[in-house]
């Protein structure tokens, strides 16, 4: 019976980064370029509208300006969401392709075809399953905790001894916390059983989500430990990124007196203070590029390697393809 080699799977993303660093940067650059494009198209107008409203405090705002601000914001969010779903599938596909089809290296393994469309479909269904499961579990939990909390409030209002009321309120809080842990545990378990669906759909160019349930049977614990190690790596990377971001914010604000004074900031044109924030924008853009590439490489590199370990015929098929 095939088994998951936890150490090999957890470090598959690190090996991929070491093996193809430029491709990993290209994945992050694609996402960063798209986000930057949306910000350029919509950001200037939105910022100008917000600054104008701030400068005209105390006077009734122009309805056309309010509707324009809302419309621009909604348009930016819509385009950003749709684009990132497509780009996310392209990057996810590139990671899976790097692990499962290593000979297809052109264009950083990035493609937009049937495999990526299947990834979008499967990811959507997985997200819906996890969301529905959380809602189903949250409804009875909410009813129980609200009922206990209301009973405690009622007892307190009727003059009952706090020694009776407080334990009931503490019990409601405890049940809520315990219930949230159960919901989290069930969600993680469901993900471990369904996580091979995107890989199988990508590999076979068909919807293969529920076949993941069979493939991962008896391996949930190994998958969980593997992804826990991946999460710890991502946590370490995130801490480094937050330190860099925090230092950059501090230096940028300290070096620009205008950024320390909201009144002064409102009195200068948006283009001027945007220029003052340029170092911050550059650093955050670089962190986004590196972070997106590393995150996808670590997560989906590990999942793809576990698929290879559980489905060794895939390596044979690749060898003789």
């Amino acid at each position: 019976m095939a088994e998951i080699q936890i150490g090999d799977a957890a470090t598959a993303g690190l090996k991929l980064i070491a093996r193809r660093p430029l491709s990993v940067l290209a994945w992050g650059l694609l996402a960063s370029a798209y986000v930057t494009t949306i910000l350029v198209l919509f950001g200037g107008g939105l910022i100008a509208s917000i600054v104008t409203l701030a400068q005209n405090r105390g006077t009734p705002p122009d309805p056309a300006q309010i509707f324009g601000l809302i419309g621009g914001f909604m348009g930016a969010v819509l385009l950003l969401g749709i684009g990132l779903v497509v780009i996310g599938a392209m990057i996810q596909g590139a990671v899976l392709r790097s692990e499962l089809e290593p000979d297809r290296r052109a264009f950083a393994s990035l493609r937009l075809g049937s495999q990526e469309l299947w990834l979008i479909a499967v990811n959507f269904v997985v997200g819906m399953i996890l969301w529905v499961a959380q809602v189903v579990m949250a409804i009875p939990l909410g009813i129980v905790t609200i009922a206990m909390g209301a009973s405690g409030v009622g007892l307190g209002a009727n003059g009952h001894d706090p020694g009776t009321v407080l334990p009931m309120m503490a019990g409601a809080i405890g049940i809520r916390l315990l219930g949230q842990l159960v919901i989290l545990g069930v969600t993680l378990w469901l993900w471990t059983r369904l996580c091979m669906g995107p890989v199988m759909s990508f590999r076979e160019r068909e919807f293969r989500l529920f076949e993941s349930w069979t493939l991962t049977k008896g391996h949930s614990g190994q998958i969980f430990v593997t992804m826990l190690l991946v999460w710890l790596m991502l946590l370490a990377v995130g801490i480094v990124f937050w330190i860099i971001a925090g230092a950059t914010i501090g230096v940028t604000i300290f070096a620009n007196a205008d950024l320390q004074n909201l009144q002064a900031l409102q009195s200068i044109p948006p283009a001027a203070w945007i220029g003052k924030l340029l170092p911050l924008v550059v650093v955050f853009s670089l962190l986004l590029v590196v972070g997106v590439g590393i995150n996808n490489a670590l997560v989906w590199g590990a999942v793809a390697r576990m698929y290879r370990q559980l489905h060794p015929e895939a390596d044979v098929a690749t060898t003789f393809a």
Side-chain angles (χ1 to χ4, degrees):
M1 180 180 177
E3 291 291 336
I4 291 176
Q5 301 172 22
I6 294 174
D8 179 57
T11 57
L14 294 176
K15 296 170 186 174
L16 174 59
I17 294 170
R19 190 169 67 246
R20 300 185 58 181
L22 294 181
S23 293
V24 174
L25 288 177
W27 302 337
L29 185 61
L30 176 63
S32 179
Y34 182 76
V35 172
T36 301
T37 300
I38 296 299
L39 290 178
V40 169
L41 291 175
F42 291 90
L46 292 174
I47 292 174
S49 298
I50 293 172
V51 171
T52 301
L53 289 173
Q55 291 174 340
N56 295 333
R57 286 181 303 176
T59 61
D62 183 0
Q65 191 176 38
I66 296 295
F67 287 127
L69 178 62
I70 295 174
F73 178 77
M74 295 299 293
V77 170
L78 181 62
L79 286 177
L80 189 64
I82 294 174
L84 288 180
V85 166
V86 175
I87 291 173
M90 292 175 64
I91 296 173
Q92 183 182 4
V95 178
L96 298 180
R97 191 171 287 113
S98 298
E99 184 69 25
L100 303 177
E101 304 170 6
D103 292 337
R104 302 181 64 187
R105 300 171 58 95
F107 304 106
S109 297
L110 289 165
R111 307 284 189 278
L112 181 57
S114 62
Q115 290 174 295
E116 285 69 30
L117 295 179
W118 282 120
L119 285 176
I120 292 174
V122 172
N123 288 334
F124 175 78
V125 175
V126 170
M128 288 299 297
I129 290 173
L130 298 181
W131 178 76
V132 170
Q134 290 174 346
V135 170
V136 169
M137 290 183 288
I139 289 175
L141 175 63
I143 293 174
V144 171
T145 53
I146 289 174
M148 291 184 65
S151 298
V153 171
L155 291 174
N158 291 328
H160 282 73
D161 180 33
T164 303
V165 177
L166 291 178
M168 182 173 290
M169 299 298 292
I173 296 173
I175 290 175
R176 182 71 185 184
L177 293 175
L178 181 61
Q180 289 298 132
L181 289 176
V182 171
I183 292 174
L184 176 61
V186 173
T187 302
L188 291 174
W189 175 74
L190 285 173
W191 187 88
T192 63
R193 299 302 306 273
L194 299 174
C195 65
M196 297 298 164
V199 187
M200 298 173 75
S201 299
F202 174 87
R203 183 71 174 173
E204 301 177 28
R205 292 175 171 82
E206 292 183 89
F207 190 87
R208 284 288 183 265
L209 174 59
F210 300 108
E211 287 77 2
S212 172
W213 197 267
T214 302
L215 184 63
T216 58
K217 184 178 181 180
H219 301 288
S220 293
Q222 295 170 321
I223 295 173
F224 174 79
V225 173
T226 299
M227 299 313 296
L228 177 62
L229 293 175
V230 171
W231 181 82
L232 291 175
M233 287 184 251
L234 290 173
L235 178 62
V237 172
I239 291 173
V240 173
F241 279 16
W242 277 111
I243 292 174
I244 296 173
T248 305
I249 292 173
V251 170
T252 302
I253 294 176
F254 181 77
N256 293 274
D258 291 338
L259 297 179
Q260 304 172 29
N261 189 329
L262 183 60
Q263 295 294 333
L265 194 62
Q266 293 176 354
S267 65
I268 60 178
W273 61 265
I274 289 176
K276 297 177 182 294
L277 295 175
L278 186 58
L280 191 61
V281 172
V282 171
V283 171
F284 270 75
S285 297
L286 291 175
L287 292 178
L288 177 63
V289 169
V290 177
V292 168
I294 290 177
N295 185 288
N296 280 275
L298 291 178
V299 172
W300 292 108
V303 176
R305 183 63 61 88
M306 286 188 288
Y307 169 78
R308 286 177 53 189
Q309 293 172 353
L310 294 176
H311 196 272
E313 306 93 270
D315 287 341
V316 176
T318 300
T319 302
F320 292 97

